[in-house]
Amino acid sequence: MPRFSARWIAVVVLIFVVSGVFFFCEYLIYFPTILKCGIDGRPMDSTLRAMVLSDTHLLGAVGGHWFDKLRREWQMERAFQTALWLLRPEIVFILGDIFDEGKWSSQKDWEDDVRRFHRMFRHTTDTELVVLVGNHDIGFHYEMDWFKLQRFEKVFNATSTRIVTKKGVNFLLVNSVALHGDGCPICQSVERELIKLSRDLNCSLQDNCEGSQLYPPTPPVMLQHYPLYRVSDAGCTGQDAAPPEERHLLFREKYDVLSKEASQRLLQWFKPRLILSGHTHSGCEVLHDNKYPEISVPSFNWRNRNNPSFILASFSAGSYALSKCFLPEESTVIAVYCSAGACLLFLFLAHCLWMKGLLQCFSLCLLGKHKSL
């Protein structure tokens, strides 16, 4: 009877520890981490609460192990759904590279990727989801074509270059993949649209134009996948910056960052009060021409970095406030699992030694009774 009871106690302890560790690492750990994120001060009624994330890189049918795909998508889904529940943003922006293989995926694989994206990043009607295009969605400049671009725009029911206005705040969405400056058909189309939007915004600011679409008279917040031109990440600091050994690597124009010419044109056309970009998978803060701040948003995918993050922002017509929101570090989750495994191993060995000692005691007692008889 004691042996039977001890065995069942060990089983109950094992189930309790395993389920508890799993529930903590796969559900609960996101809550205290994301709860640390917040914007100082109580938002006014006129402010807009926004989440900005980038480079989700959903793996496709070609690259990546099936477990890697399952694990990363589960992590991003839990992080996103927890952030929505805790932070209640009114609008969410994803700054491109939604998919990892959109540039070469077949129609069947594309539809599967889109289905998984909508499942992971589901949201209520109280939250608007706005998606920008990245090079992994339609290919680099030399890979993109009208079919890939229109396939992307059809899925997200919007053109890749446009202005989204919410609560008096203008958000300029730029298809930065098409700013190569070589006169390609897609490049020409995007540049014509940008010139028109610039004219409309300037007319709205001056309030003396006719025949143009009017927007709230405030400088826009510019969002795009590629960062504006900078030499490297050498001046970037913080726990979301690139590793020290990578910060001094020179960026390639039209590949890692926009060209100098395209960057200057955007700044001259729109004079944005803030630029938000992705692509590099690391965080950085840059001030262009001493007056145009740019924030590079790190990747939201644990496959790209140990400490993914996103931006929580509060916008009004005349001001904004930003907060960096870090997600649980994957090394922490692995450490918890390893510690739990070590504890279970210790308990198992202790149980075996205890049972062995108990059996020896019974054996000695039975042997003593046998001798007395």
Side-chain angles (χ1 to χ4, degrees):
M1 182 67 179
R3 182 181 179 186
F4 175 81
S5 300
R7 181 178 298 172
W8 276 103
I9 290 173
V11 170
V12 170
V13 169
L14 177 65
I15 294 173
F16 178 78
V17 171
V18 170
S19 59
V21 170
F22 177 83
F23 189 67
F24 173 77
C25 289
E26 305 303 329
Y27 288 92
L28 292 182
I29 195 171
Y30 297 98
F31 285 85
T33 310
I34 293 175
L35 273 173
K36 296 177 183 177
C37 179
I39 298 174
D40 294 336
R42 185 180 180 84
M44 303 295 290
D45 292 338
S46 59
T47 60
L48 174 69
R49 197 172 182 84
M51 263 178 65
V52 184
L53 52 130
S54 186
D55 293 87
T56 52
H57 283 274
L58 272 70
L59 291 174
V62 178
H65 190 271
W66 67 268
F67 181 77
D68 190 20
K69 181 190 296 187
L70 179 69
R71 178 68 183 155
R72 305 312 177 190
E73 292 183 6
W74 170 258
Q75 289 171 317
M76 287 191 287
E77 181 177 354
R78 291 315 321 147
F80 183 76
Q81 295 303 323
T82 304
L84 282 189
W85 190 77
L86 291 175
L87 304 177
R88 305 292 183 186
E90 298 164 80
I91 190 166
V92 177
F93 296 99
I94 306 182
L95 305 180
D97 278 3
I98 313 302
F99 309 106
D100 196 59
E101 301 174 8
K103 56 187 179 182
W104 60 55
S105 59
S106 67
Q107 188 60 28
K108 180 177 179 299
D109 294 335
W110 170 262
E111 291 172 357
D112 180 63
D113 293 345
V114 169
R115 176 187 57 77
R116 294 185 352 259
F117 171 83
H118 285 309
R119 185 201 72 231
M120 293 165 56
F121 294 94
R122 61 190 180 276
H123 54 91
T124 65
T125 54
D126 296 332
T127 301
E128 181 180 358
L129 180 64
V130 179
V131 172
L132 283 75
V133 67
N135 56 287
H136 275 266
D137 302 313
I138 61 173
F140 283 98
H141 171 265
Y142 61 88
E143 297 171 306
M144 71 174 180
D145 55 40
W146 284 112
F147 171 77
K148 295 173 188 174
L149 178 60
Q150 291 170 353
R151 180 173 69 173
F152 184 91
E153 293 179 337
K154 181 179 179 182
V155 163
F156 297 105
N157 195 29
T159 56
S160 59
T161 300
R162 66 191 190 279
I163 289 177
V164 172
T165 300
K166 203 171 182 70
K167 283 192 174 182
V169 181
N170 297 317
F171 296 97
L172 170 66
L173 315 182
V174 179
N175 178 356
S176 54
V177 183
L179 296 183
H180 212 66
D182 65 347
C184 76
I186 297 178
C187 302
Q188 290 180 342
S189 174
V190 168
E191 288 191 16
R192 282 196 301 268
E193 185 61 27
L194 286 171
I195 292 172
K196 178 181 179 302
L197 292 175
S198 171
R199 187 183 303 116
D200 291 345
L201 274 173
N202 288 328
C203 285
S204 300
L205 288 169
Q206 297 167 7
D207 196 23
N208 62 355
C209 296
E210 295 182 0
S212 298
Q213 182 174 347
L214 293 181
Y215 296 98
T218 59
V221 176
M222 190 165 74
L223 303 101
Q224 58 193 41
H225 181 64
Y226 282 113
L228 296 182
Y229 175 79
R230 61 177 183 260
V231 175
S232 68
D233 272 350
C236 306
T237 58
Q239 63 186 104
D240 60 345
E245 64 273 12
E246 297 179 9
R247 293 180 195 174
H248 292 275
L249 298 178
L250 298 181
F251 283 146
R252 293 163 290 180
E253 293 185 60
K254 305 179 182 180
Y255 190 87
D256 300 310
V257 294
L258 289 180
S259 66
K260 293 180 183 178
E261 294 77 13
S263 301
Q264 284 303 312
R265 283 203 303 270
L266 288 174
L267 294 177
Q268 291 170 4
W269 286 344
F270 296 103
K271 297 177 174 56
R273 53 175 165 150
L274 175 68
I275 304 116
L276 295 168
S277 60
H279 187 59
T280 64
H281 298 175
S282 300
C284 191
E285 299 180 21
V286 182
L287 188 63
H288 298 280
D289 297 342
N290 293 319
K291 55 183 173 181
Y292 302 117
E294 178 180 9
I295 307 293
S296 289
V297 182
S299 174
F300 194 71
N301 192 330
W302 279 261
R303 194 170 192 257
N304 296 323
R305 54 185 305 115
N306 181 50
N307 60 338
S309 61
F310 61 91
I311 297 289
L312 179 65
S314 178
F315 294 102
S316 68
S319 64
Y320 63 86
L322 306 176
S323 176
K324 292 182 180 180
C325 305
F326 290 91
L327 301 177
E329 295 187 0
E330 187 160 55
S331 56
T332 301
V333 175
I334 294 173
V336 171
Y337 274 127
C338 290
S339 300
C343 290
L344 288 176
L345 180 61
F346 174 79
L347 291 173
F348 175 75
L349 293 175
H351 172 72
C352 290
L353 291 173
W354 183 75
M355 289 299 298
K356 182 179 179 181
L358 195 62
L359 288 173
Q360 288 177 348
C361 182
F362 283 149
S363 299
L364 290 173
C365 289
L366 290 174
L367 184 60
K369 289 181 180 180
H370 178 73
K371 287 182 177 180
S372 63
L373 291 174

